Amino acid sequence: MAGDLAGSRTSDVMTAIRGRIAGRALAPGDRLPSIRRFAATMNVSPSTVVEAYDRLAAEGLIRAQRGSGFYVSNAALPPLKLAAETPKARAVDPFWISRQALDADDAVLKPGCGWLPADWMPNEALRRAIRSLARSESDLLAYYGSTHGSPALRRLLLGRLAEEGIGAGPDHLMLTNTGTQALDLVCRFLLRPGDTVIVDDPGYFNFQALLKAHQVKIIGVPYGPSGPDIGAFEAILAAGRPKLYITNSAIHNPTGATVSPQVAHRLLNAAAGSDMTIVEDDIFADFEPEPSTRLAALDGLSRVIRIGSFSKTLSASARCGYIAARPDWIEGLVDLQIATNFGGPNPISSEIIAHMLAGGGYRKHMEELRRKLVRVRRETADRLRRLGIEPVILPRGGFNLWCRLPDGLDSALVAQAAVAGGVVLAPGNVFSVSQGAAGFMRFNVAHMLEPRVYEVLAAAMKTAS
Amino acid sequence: MAGDLAGSRTSDVMTAIRGRIAGRALAPGDRLPSIRRFAATMNVSPSTVVEAYDRLAAEGLIRAQRGSGFYVSNAALPPLKLAAETPKARAVDPFWISRQALDADDAVLKPGCGWLPADWMPNEALRRAIRSLARSESDLLAYYGSTHGSPALRRLLLGRLAEEGIGAGPDHLMLTNTGTQALDLVCRFLLRPGDTVIVDDPGYFNFQALLKAHQVKIIGVPYGPSGPDIGAFEAILAAGRPKLYITNSAIHNPTGATVSPQVAHRLLNAAAGSDMTIVEDDIFADFEPEPSTRLAALDGLSRVIRIGSFSKTLSASARCGYIAARPDWIEGLVDLQIATNFGGPNPISSEIIAHMLAGGGYRKHMEELRRKLVRVRRETADRLRRLGIEPVILPRGGFNLWCRLPDGLDSALVAQAAVAGGVVLAPGNVFSVSQGAAGFMRFNVAHMLEPRVYEVLAAAMKTAS
């Protein structure tokens, strides 16, 4: 209560000053009333006036001149409302979908986005983890942290790798700010401009955006229900010398497919044959009903690099990623992260994630998510079929549903029409290096519960046809 | 209390299971006792056993098989203690100092590090900001956030730029994970391998490490008490076509010098003459007793890019940086950040920083820091002089003191000897492109209060001479 009262007194003083400036009683450059005098005028304590002046200074309305009091800013005030981050009229490419989804305001529905709705996330556990962070030692809260990242989180990740049968030690593992930064570091470490890299077609669209930033040649390998077309994969290796293959393991984005043990085995042999490295992005693995054959587990982190993050399962706000790889590569990657990020990743995020993983709640949270997704996936598939939209496969887990649109429909045109209706969709070709997926669309089933999604989708299909 | 009790019951169960595994009563692969039966055995509630099993699973000691209970892990346990992050026996280069300082354990003293001791930082304000974060809306805690970063923090930064007379709008500003990442994005955006970049000599060592990662040619410009040697600067521009000049403004790292208005003016004219971009790293600006002439303020963000962070003033753990630049460049930089980081920077860190800047406490905190540093800087200078170590200039602010060692001493040898004694120092040549600073050392005065620093330093000087 006392706090609230003090707070309201502070805002009374702020309102009074704002009023004088708005009414030109105080002009730009004018000195504000002295703390003591204005405290008397407003009948509050001097400290309340100091607090109010400091807050107004933080807003830029006034400035504190060191030593000599407060003055009305000469400069224009910062705009109270920030402009829309992203112009709607951009070409439909990987950046289009990222920006539309990330910068959409609350009114917009986002079945095209790559994350779960906030109310599906373990927010209470997250708040508990944040409160416990507030109680942690000052060193943790003040310092950059170690170059490899939070020891607590690395211990937990080593335990999870051990569960998979990957006997990794501390020198096999480093933390990063994000899963995408993990991949970016790996690319910087292993690739040079002009190198060739294989990605899945269809595959996660931001892999293309990232690889373009590295100025490498991107080749797509057709991706089917049991993984990449291994014949095509072997042909690509025979034709050239690709340096890297980047793929989503466990549950593939966007198709939701899983690599079969036979394909995994042949992939590794083919890679070994032409001395190619494979990056296995783990991000959807915890959505699997039961663990599938994993490349890093078969290979034991010799030519496979495992990356991952917790943005899909715990929080995309407390971001944190990791890289598990050969110790000599980790050593080089750590230097690269120091050069380009100074030190390891954000320690407070890593601690929050570690707290959530260490607690007993994580497994229960994931079991509940999986149960919920089975139901929502089935419902969504039925409702889409009624619009003539056919799921290509029904995935074992995760929230993505890769679907074929009725013949002749261009999903990019549908997506552009839907944006106008306040719905962000993920058209097929943003996932396709060959641009052969115009007739497909990825739907995030967790964002398909609102009837309005289907109304806008149906209308957009009409507009586009 | 109830919580503590439940916690101790949980750890009793964990201890019991650990004991059975250690004693081989439970072998790898064995199924653990059922929840209900073991709850009865231990005389605790089933939920306590579930919590204990989940925590042991998180540690990797046991694994939960979805649907069918818990089993002892076949895999080796993760090591309980993480190996030392960084080998002491590395060449003394920019990475050497970064790693020695970042990975040093608590017993090590770090006058070579580039940050303040934890107990100098506003930890209570930080804890308050974290507690208020725990109360914020779920969307903020669950989602990636906008591509440009936290609107709250951007508003505050626009206010601070306005105070400097820089009339920037929302489209001039983006947030990044760290100040170093801000510079890395700018380099990726503006540089190509083989380009030439000017840095100060001496200058911040990690600029060199970062530029090496970009495979560019690095030229050092001699840096003196009033800024870079403008004649030498103009000569470098006449000789070649450098793309970029990267410098610390306000209070220079490592010298603590400040660019004079005349030098600032001539720098900008020279840059304009050969169409070069200047990156002004703001990171020490708030340590100034009064604001100095700033390049971005003179130039108005046309060819000057302002970057900064809050790691020196608020927290290096809740990391957050920013870029202020031409709107068309910001647009390209945002795409580049999406490609390499997906989305903007860690939202929870940005909110914590925004909360601390918006509160009235920030100005008081900085005033106290400046007062404290004036005193400690003078004391440290006196104590160093007694060892024959002479400050080159006494800075207006900040915590760095750039000093000349007694004739003939190689600061790299002194630093290596000191590391053996548990003291991390910053030898001159890690700051010098020309390697002409072997006789110099940078001291962080805030870490020079312990007598042991001077004892180890004196001994190391003996060893090195």
Side-chain angles (χ1 to χ4, degrees), chain A residues 201-288:
Chain A
D201 189 350
Y204 173 44
F205 54 78
N206 204 55
F207 289 162
Q208 292 177 59
L210 183 135
L211 290 169
K212 287 210 175 78
H214 287 274
Q215 302 161 59
V216 296
K217 184 172 171 228
I218 309 170
I219 298 184
V221 59
Y223 200 92
S226 58
D229 176 330
I230 190 68
F233 189 84
E234 288 161 346
I236 295 168
L237 267 55
R241 271 247 166 278
K243 279 270 175 56
L244 208 58
Y245 169 50
I246 304 171
T247 187
N248 280 121
S249 57
I251 293 173
H252 178 259
N253 180 7
T255 63
T258 298
V259 176
S260 74
Q262 300 74 31
V263 169
H265 179 64
R266 285 184 63 181
L267 270 178
L268 286 173
N269 287 344
S274 65
D275 193 25
M276 181 183 67
T277 304
I278 299 179
V279 176
E280 176 180 59
D281 179 0
D282 201 34
I283 193 155
F284 293 105
D286 285 357
F287 287 97
E288 289 191 297

Side-chain angles (χ1 to χ4, degrees), chain A residues 32-75:
Chain A
L32 265 69
S34 80
I35 305 292
R36 195 164 313 285
R37 211 176 74 243
F38 204 58
T41 314
M42 297 289 295
N43 184 26
V44 297
S45 73
S47 64
T48 302
V49 176
V50 171
E51 176 69 18
Y53 281 13
D54 276 328
R55 288 180 179 274
L56 290 168
E59 290 178 8
L61 186 65
I62 66 178
R63 59 190 159 74
Q65 199 141 297
R66 289 167 196 170
S68 78
F70 290 84
Y71 295 79
V72 179
S73 295
N74 303 309

Side-chain angles (χ1 to χ4, degrees), chain B residues 36-188:
Chain B
R36 195 166 312 285
R37 211 174 75 246
F38 205 59
T41 314
M42 298 289 297
N43 184 27
V44 297
S45 74
S47 63
T48 302
V49 177
V50 171
E51 176 71 16
Y53 282 12
D54 276 327
R55 287 179 180 275
L56 290 168
E59 290 177 9
L61 185 65
I62 66 177
R63 59 190 159 71
Q65 199 143 298
R66 288 167 196 170
S68 79
F70 291 83
Y71 296 79
V72 179
S73 294
N74 302 307
L77 294 182
L80 292 181
K81 188 168 175 351
L82 294 166
E85 311 294 9
T86 290
K88 296 234 180 305
R90 279 173 63 125
V92 176
D93 62 9
F95 290 116
W96 180 90
I97 178 62
S98 300
R99 284 182 156 227
Q100 294 299 348
L102 289 165
D103 288 333
D105 61 46
D106 306 351
V108 172
L109 300 172
K110 299 191 289 296
C113 81
W115 52 89
L116 292 170
D119 57 2
W120 289 48
M121 300 300 271
N123 295 309
E124 273 326 301
L126 184 51
R127 291 176 200 281
R128 272 197 304 279
I130 294 171
R131 285 194 296 270
S132 102
L133 176 71
R135 294 188 298 271
S136 55
E137 58 179 4
S138 298
D139 286 13
L140 177 78
L141 300 178
Y143 292 148
Y144 288 92
S146 86
T147 56
H148 291 61
S150 155
L153 183 51
R154 280 185 287 150
R155 273 199 198 81
L156 290 163
L157 287 174
L158 288 172
R160 287 160 62 92
L161 290 170
E163 266 188 71
E164 271 191 71
I166 301 173
D171 53 353
H172 285 86
L173 186 65
M174 67 186 281
L175 304 184
T176 61
N177 281 312
T178 68
T180 307
Q181 191 215 358
L183 180 58
D184 187 47
L185 285 169
V186 167
C187 290
R188 284 182 124 167

